[in-house]
Structure formats: C-alpha cells, structure tokens
Amino acid sequence: QLHLVESGGDSVQPGGSLRLSCGASGVNLDYFSIGWFRQAPGKEREGVSCISSNDGTIYYADSVKGRFTVSRDSAENTVYLQMKNLKPEDTGVYFCAADPPLSITSVQDMCARGIYDYWGQGTQVTVAS
C-alpha cells in the first residue's frame, strides 16, 4: 500500500511559520488527491486543506484561509503545506492523506469527511509563546 510520510512539524511562537511536507516512495503523488488534516488534543480530526487530482481544485478550511497554502512539487514528488501567521489554535498533529483519482466526490466533501484511502503517521505542530 501507499506509504505517506509527513515532516516539518515543530514548536513555534504565535505568528511564526512552518512548512510541512508529505512524500511517498514508488508512487507519483500527482495522480492522487491529497488532503491535510489535523487533530488537536480532545478535538475531532478536521480537514485543513485538500487538493484534487482531477482538476487541481483546492479547498481551505475557513480557519486557515489566507494563512495556509498547499502546493505540489512534482519533481520532488512532494506536497507541501505552507503555514504562516500561526496561532495557538493551530496546534495539533498534522496528517497528510491520499486517495486515487477514482472518486467524483467534491474536494470540499472529501476534506470534510476525511474520505481518503491512505494516511501518514502525522507530525506534531505546537504553537505557543
């Protein structure tokens, strides 16, 4: 099965920036829809940003819109989540997820429901003074 690996999590002060990476070996991630999710202690997992493999449509949760940017680097077979102006509320374990290009579900719905076949192990992001 597809093995996803996230990296880039760290502890930063409010207002700081981080760039998370999601990579895989042996599979071209350009063929997959990719989602970024996070889970804070005591809270439900939530979709942060998701990008469709079908048409490149990108969805951002309202809480991160204007601060987070998701992008693909095909040469590196990597998907990035650039996070700026981080807030304490952004703290949590961040996961990337992948789904093959067979679904006709909207990227917004996939992000809301977390309907992805493959998941990484997560990387910790902590935002505190």
Side-chain angles (χ1 to χ4, degrees), residues 13-104:
Q13 297 186 85
S17 300
L18 286 173
R19 188 178 71 168
L20 306 184
S21 300
C22 176
S25 297
V27 176
N28 187 349
L29 289 183
D30 284 349
Y31 299 154
F32 291 80
S33 293
I34 303 296
W36 284 99
F37 297 80
R38 67 186 180 191
Q39 188 165 25
K43 294 185 177 181
E44 298 282 348
R45 182 186 65 197
E46 64 174 333
V48 175
S49 181
C50 301
I51 181 169
S52 172
S53 66
N54 296 324
D55 57 6
T57 300
I58 298 174
Y59 165 82
Y60 294 101
D62 288 342
S63 60
V64 307
K65 195 171 299 182
R67 300 188 297 118
F68 289 14
T69 303
V70 65
S71 62
R72 296 179 183 265
D73 186 330
S74 296
E76 296 294 327
N77 198 33
T78 301
V79 178
Y80 298 104
L81 182 67
Q82 179 68 56
M83 307 185 295
K84 298 182 177 180
N85 192 24
L86 284 161
K87 304 176 180 180
E89 304 93 277
D90 296 318
T91 294
V93 178
Y94 283 69
F95 302 88
C96 70
D99 204 68
L102 298 177
S103 177
I104 60 173

Side-chain angles (χ1 to χ4, degrees), residues 3-18:
H3 183 217
L4 299 172
V5 179
E6 307 98 333
S7 62
D10 206 347
S11 180
V12 299
Q13 297 186 85
S17 300
L18 286 173

